[in-house]
Amino acid sequence: MNRFIILFLFSLGILSTCVFAVEVIPLNEGWNFHRGFQAPASEIVKVTLPHTWNAGDGMFGNADYYRGLCNYSRKLSVPAHYRGKRFFLKVMAAQTVADIFIDHYFVMQHKGGYTAFVAELTDFLVPGKESVLEIRVSNAQTMDIAPICGDFNMFGGLYRGVELLVTEDVCIEPAYYASSGVFFTQSDVSEKKAHLKIEALLSARETTVTGCEVEFQLYDKEKLLCRVASAEVGEDKKVVMDMVLERPHLWDGVKDPYLYKGVVILRKDGKEIDRREEEIGFRYFHADAEKGFFLNGKPYRLNGVNRHQDRAERASAFYPQDHDEDLDLMQEMGCNAVRLCHYPQAKYMHQQMDKRGLVAWVEIPFVNVYVNNPAYDENLRLQLKELILQNYNHPCILFWGLFNEINSGWLDRPSRMAAELHALARQLDPSRPTMGASNQDDDFNGFTDLIAFNKYFGWYGDNMDDMGRWIDREHAAHPERKMGISEYGAGACVFQQEDSLRHPEPWGQWHPENWQTYYHVENWKQLQEREFLWCNFIWCMFDFSAAGRREGSIMGRNDKGLVTYDRKIKKDAFYFYKANWNQEDKFVYIAGKRLVNRTRKIVGVQVFSNSGAAKLYINGKAYGTAKPDSVNVLEWKGIVLDTGENRIEVRNKYGADCCVWICPF
């Protein structure tokens, strides 16, 4: 049994020098790439990670974009003075199956395209000798790896980077499901105090953990608050420590995303040989079936968007600045939560969401179909373990998503597996609830702690008002369930505009922007009135690739985003939500400004404002003041346009917006 020494140092403001015994060597440069198992020299190209081989053929409606085997190789040398060290290869993600080879010797295989994995290379690398590292990656469709299918592209490649970890013989375990090897579990959190359990897993090959000790330090803005030291390490190489923090500064969402720093230090015979540093955000939360979601004891409706890791030119091979741009746009709109659909996304996203105070819905790619195959079951379990253990310490993550639109009518019934995944998630992390996203009435809707639904009334169906009526019926039928809306949306092309408000054919090529705007105004009216909903997530933030789609103006594109695929144009509906969700950045915005050439003499002018009433001017003539309605929409009806050019301007004390409409008669 471990013994603990707890030292509270609230008055001590000393920051010790950080010494990292683990060396992290990026391996993103110098890769040779080719398709297939082998290729002539003329077909081998140099690439830099992150990289996907589908950036060219997977984004423009080619349903036969290449899904097969590709090879990455590069030279790998470790200096002679590293003799006695251990070497670990960490791959941040490889879509879908990856086989690792050193000098043509097989090392390991990993199945699953969205989570990191680690291969120990100590037995394969000789310090002072050059080796060849090969990673053979295949995104070929298979029936034993999730996702089997999905309405999004599975871009093949090493699209999140690779690094080499160099450690001492005894180290904090880097290969346990590619986690950090340290886990912080919060409990009994309040404004008065917070309990924290610290677990650290150790690893040793040639030596023992005799003489090792582990210390935990908690910092508040570089001030050391407390130290917890383990006096001994057990034979299981696992250390467990506990502490209580009085009067914690809580992580309070976008309002105040306060973070502490937790440091776990491994020493052997008094010398530091390894450490981990992770940010900790103390918070408590729950969902109520009648009152909605609460963060730190206060109502906190989760208003957010769905986001695929996919964008023009890059496909899935994002750089940090790409993630930052996405988050900036989400926060400009006023989101306080993001559903990272339908698979684990880059760890950088979680780190930034911790700092920004955005609540994260994360999930495994258990999408659409289930096959009663033991190998598929095991892969689902593996991907859930990797999702949870790799992201366990992120305060932004409040729940674990287990499925999306699994369907009992396609292949095998998924109910047993949904129940098993729920039990596994609660076993791995009792501190967070589970949830699922469903589009049908089935028993598994009641298996998770929370449930949300994907509903598209007014897009795949004519009656917009059905959204509110359906929600009320579902809530009445299952009053015990904590219910939200995980997807709702409509397609829109910014280059398709019309005066008339007509419900377009969802599967057709005409997706005018004004219907999307109308759809979101009417749906939000219904959603905001139902306070028992714990969340509402728009489908979706950005247009994205779905190679099988034949709709809208661009083949292979889901155009339900509020921002275009290249992140350059914000659609009108973006500003509608900004008017409702962002109360800090005051503005007014004219909807329909892209419809320059008008076909009607008499028009309405629609404006979104989070800054109160505004005045309308056309060619300098005043048309009065309008006040915002319950969803911050201002309207002037029956406006007669002048023949020719009409300069439309809306102003209030906080800002102005203008555009030009041309009336030919």
Side-chain angles (χ1 to χ4, degrees), residues 278-289:
E278 305 235 357
E279 291 174 320
I280 302 173
F282 293 101
R283 72 280 187 271
Y284 62 100
F285 56 92
H286 76 282
D288 185 275

Side-chain angles (χ1 to χ4, degrees), residues 100 114 139 291 326 332 431 441 443 493 504 590 593 603 661:
I100 310 298
Y114 303 101
N139 66 336
K291 299 178 181 179
D326 284 2
E332 180 191 342
S431 71
D441 184 16
D443 59 353
C493 172
I590 301 170
K593 63 174 63 179
V603 301
W661 294 344

Side-chain angles (χ1 to χ4, degrees), residues 153-172:
N153 289 0
M154 287 73 165
F155 296 109
L158 296 175
Y159 63 98
R160 290 186 192 155
V162 175
E163 59 191 25
L164 183 70
L165 311 179
V166 183
T167 76
E168 300 295 332
D169 184 72
V170 180
C171 60
I172 299 172

Side-chain angles (χ1 to χ4, degrees), residues 59-62 508-509 546-547 549-557:
M59 294 191 289
F60 301 104
N62 178 14
Q509 269 63 63
R549 285 189 173 251
R550 296 292 180 269
E551 63 186 61
S553 62
I554 301 176
M555 296 298 97
R557 186 71 45 81

Side-chain angles (χ1 to χ4, degrees), residues 14-32:
I14 300 173
L15 176 63
S16 60
T17 303
C18 292
V19 179
F20 292 89
V22 175
E23 185 174 355
V24 180
I25 304 172
L27 299 180
N28 293 329
E29 306 284 341
W31 290 90
N32 297 309

Side-chain angles (χ1 to χ4, degrees), residues 252-357:
D252 203 21
V254 293
K255 176 184 175 182
D256 184 14
Y258 197 84
L259 295 170
Y260 294 83
K261 182 172 71 175
V263 181
V264 175
I265 300 171
L266 171 63
R267 296 187 180 93
K268 185 174 176 65
D269 300 325
K271 177 186 176 183
E272 179 177 330
I273 57 174
D274 204 354
R275 71 160 56 199
R276 297 288 187 273
E277 293 187 1
E278 305 235 357
E279 291 174 320
I280 302 173
F282 293 101
R283 72 280 187 271
Y284 62 100
F285 56 92
H286 76 282
D288 185 275
E290 292 297 332
K291 299 178 181 179
F293 192 76
F294 290 78
L295 177 64
N296 299 330
K298 302 179 184 66
Y300 198 78
R301 174 76 164 264
L302 297 181
N303 295 325
V305 292
N306 287 265
R307 183 256 196 179
H308 273 295
Q309 186 173 322
D310 179 16
R311 65 178 290 152
E313 298 180 356
R314 302 252 201 275
S316 59
F318 277 39
Y319 290 93
Q321 61 265 29
D322 300 319
H323 297 295
D324 291 336
E325 182 180 17
D326 284 2
L327 291 169
D328 288 344
L329 287 164
M330 294 172 195
Q331 290 200 277
E332 180 191 342
M333 199 175 81
C335 295
N336 63 12
V338 182
R339 182 185 178 202
L340 300 171
C341 60
H342 289 306
Y343 41 79
Q345 298 191 20
K347 194 171 184 65
Y348 182 84
M349 278 292 285
H350 305 142
Q351 293 167 340
Q352 296 307 307
M353 291 174 74
D354 288 341
K355 293 179 171 65
R356 294 169 180 252

